[in-house]
Amino acid sequence: MHIYKILYEEAKAKGIMMPNHNFELDYIQDLKRFIDECNRKTELAERRLDLNSEDRESLTNITTEMDELDTKIAFTTQEIQMLSRKGDLDKAVQVSKILKTYVGQRSKVARNYSIMLENINQSAQQKLQVCRDCGAYLSKLDNDRRLVEHFTGKIHLGYVEMRSTLQELKSKYEKTN
Ligand SMILES: [Zn+2]
């Protein structure tokens, strides 16, 4: 723990007025820096989780792409049947080349779709969330014991304490100013 923190807590416990007000102001700055850093980390961690919803968006896009190709394939197949019935075989062969491209595209997209689905399932299984106090990843599937371990852990409690001390000091200086 930070040396200022230890000095400050000790002085507070003994009811000693801090000799220098600047000390507490320095301490506020230190706490702010720590907590800002932590908040940035939390924000980044949450943004990384957001990638999963981006994945979901890509999945929707790829599904739309597959649907569009299915429609094209259906229309092209109908066209080939119609041309064959009319006896326009040259045209039918031409259109069937187009159909072949569509079918090739369709299987490529389907392959990407299943890869994407697998990745999304993996991250969905983890069901992660970010701790708002310390910025650590938490699994929503963790059992109570593991969650208790996190919330009673040194790092988590350290941040909780720094946050409340910062609030305390801030309101104190807001009152006096
Ligand atoms: Zn935490």
Side-chain angles (χ1 to χ4, degrees):
M1 203 32 88
H2 205 277
I3 187 71
Y4 285 159
K5 167 108 184 134
I6 296 161
L7 288 172
Y8 174 77
E9 292 299 338
E10 231 169 56
K12 209 169 81 172
K14 289 175 186 161
I16 298 168
M17 283 295 288
M18 292 310 294
N20 179 3
H21 260 213
N22 286 337
F23 162 77
E24 281 192 337
L25 290 173
D26 279 352
Y27 188 45
I28 288 178
Q29 289 310 310
D30 278 344
L31 283 174
K32 261 189 191 157
R33 225 181 31 238
F34 278 129
I35 288 165
D36 284 350
E37 194 68 41
C38 178
N39 288 343
R40 255 198 305 281
K41 195 180 83 179
T42 305
E43 210 179 288
L44 273 174
E46 281 185 332
R47 221 177 288 159
R48 278 177 64 191
L49 284 185
D50 278 348
L51 281 181
N52 295 339
S53 53
E54 266 173 40
D55 278 348
R56 256 168 238 128
E57 205 188 302
S58 328
L59 201 66
T60 310
N61 291 342
I62 212 167
T63 311
T64 311
E65 203 181 338
M66 275 203 298
D67 287 346
E68 278 168 10
L69 280 167
D70 282 343
T71 311
K72 278 178 184 170
I73 288 167
F75 276 127
T76 318
T77 309
Q78 275 173 13
E79 203 185 341
I80 292 165
Q81 281 170 349
M82 195 192 70
L83 288 166
S84 305
R85 242 179 269 138
K86 277 203 313 196
D88 197 347
L89 290 180
D90 281 350
K91 192 83 202 285
V93 168
Q94 253 179 11
V95 176
S96 66
K97 276 179 193 157
I98 296 168
L99 176 65
K100 215 178 162 186
T101 343
Y102 286 154
V103 172
Q105 279 175 4
R106 171 65 164 81
S107 63
K108 213 156 111 189
V109 172
R111 217 167 26 243
N112 288 341
Y113 179 77
S114 60
I115 291 167
M116 205 179 273
L117 206 64
E118 230 175 76
N119 291 340
I120 286 170
N121 280 342
Q122 258 171 17
S123 56
Q125 269 166 15
Q126 293 169 336
K127 283 213 161 70
L128 293 171
Q129 63 184 15
V130 180
C131 176
R132 283 302 183 108
D133 289 315
C134 72
Y137 281 114
L138 294 175
S139 170
K140 288 172 192 166
L141 304 176
D142 269 352
N143 55 36
D144 288 349
R145 194 180 59 86
R146 286 200 50 194
L147 285 176
V148 167
E149 266 170 24
H150 174 83
F151 290 118
T152 57
K154 267 186 198 153
I155 293 170
H156 178 85
L157 287 180
Y159 276 109
V160 169
E161 218 178 322
M162 279 194 272
R163 285 177 193 279
S164 71
T165 308
L166 179 61
Q167 277 317 109
E168 209 176 286
L169 288 176
K170 261 173 152 178
S171 59
K172 177 180 165 182
Y173 279 96
E174 270 159 21
K175 261 179 232 156
T176 48
N177 288 346

